[in-house]
Amino acid sequence: MNLKIFQIGTPVLRQKARPLTMEEIISPEIQQLIELMRDTMRDAPGVGLAAPQIGVGVQLVMIEDLAAYQARLTPEQLKERERVPLPFHILINPSITIENNGEVEFYEGCLSISGLIGQIKRAKSVSVKALNEKGESLEIHATGWYARILQHEIDHLQGILCVDRMKISSLTTLENYQRYIL
Ligand code: ZN
């Protein structure tokens, strides 16, 4: 079953999400939410989904970048983006630190800004501390496209959308992006 992905302009996308308690993380409700969100993200498809996007204001995001999603890009494009497949994983109550402030600029979209894409500068590498779906602590050091996805998804928990960071003159429809840019 798929959940509705809320679009830009829905207030929950602009609110700060609240952290989950350990009790909540292991509860059947949150475990079921995770399953539903995973199905929704895969069906979209997307490389990440944050709970506020399906209308739940809690600090939970998921990431999965499958090789199949990357097939449209050339090996050169994958290399310049430093984009490699990422297995499905969950981050709860994440805190992010910019590790390398050298910025890289690429086109980026969002499931909550359907059909549009634009250029966004992001830090090249970050570290993230979070809990997984079992409530276990984890720490990630990420660079390239993974670092970009982490910045995008964790922004959602602060009520920040990628258009806030976008070079607005680069905004284009996905259709025109594929026609003229990619
Ligand atoms: Zn998004």
Side-chain angles (χ1 to χ4, degrees):
M1 196 184 90
N2 289 335
L3 302 166
K4 176 180 164 146
I5 299 177
F6 288 90
Q7 293 299 304
I8 187 167
T10 312
V12 68
L13 291 172
R14 290 304 191 177
Q15 289 155 8
K16 279 190 165 66
R18 70 168 179 86
L20 287 169
T21 65
M22 194 63 79
E23 205 178 3
E24 285 176 309
I25 293 169
I26 56 170
S27 70
E29 289 77 16
I30 290 296
Q31 293 299 315
Q32 204 207 351
L33 178 74
I34 287 171
E35 275 186 39
L36 291 171
M37 280 180 65
R38 188 187 55 205
D39 291 348
T40 305
M41 178 178 74
R42 285 180 175 165
D43 196 60
V47 299
L49 189 65
Q53 292 182 273
I54 49 96
V56 180
V58 300
Q59 293 183 17
L60 187 156
V61 307
M62 54 183 50
I63 291 173
E64 181 181 53
D65 195 2
L66 300 173
Y69 301 158
Q70 303 173 6
R72 230 179 1 192
L73 298 173
T74 65
E76 292 72 35
Q77 287 169 328
L78 290 173
K79 197 176 169 198
E80 68 176 357
R81 285 163 178 73
E82 295 182 72
R83 187 168 170 183
V84 293
L86 302 169
F88 177 82
H89 58 290
I90 305 276
L91 301 172
I92 294 168
N93 304 344
S95 63
I96 189 165
T97 307
I98 303 299
E99 283 199 328
N100 178 342
N101 217 0
E103 288 182 320
V104 278
E105 188 170 48
F106 287 107
Y107 279 84
E108 184 181 314
C110 177
L111 294 176
S112 294
I113 308 170
S114 196
L116 296 170
I117 189 167
Q119 283 181 320
I120 297 172
K121 280 186 184 153
R122 297 273 190 194
K124 196 174 169 61
S125 61
V126 298
S127 65
V128 173
K129 286 183 181 166
L131 303 173
N132 69 11
E133 69 280 11
K134 295 173 191 152
E136 299 161 344
S137 298
L138 57 93
E139 187 166 353
I140 295 166
H141 295 272
T143 188
W145 206 256
Y146 188 18
R148 176 171 295 264
I149 297 170
L150 286 164
Q151 289 169 77
H152 180 118
E153 297 307 327
I154 294 171
D155 268 354
H156 272 299
L157 304 180
Q158 298 298 317
I160 297 167
L161 296 175
C162 65
V163 280
D164 304 355
R165 304 192 185 281
M166 194 174 280
K167 183 176 155 193
I168 207 69
S169 62
S170 71
L171 185 64
T172 176
T173 64
L174 206 48
E175 197 186 350
N176 281 335
Y177 172 72
Q178 281 158 1
R179 182 178 301 160
Y180 299 114
I181 296 159
L182 190 66

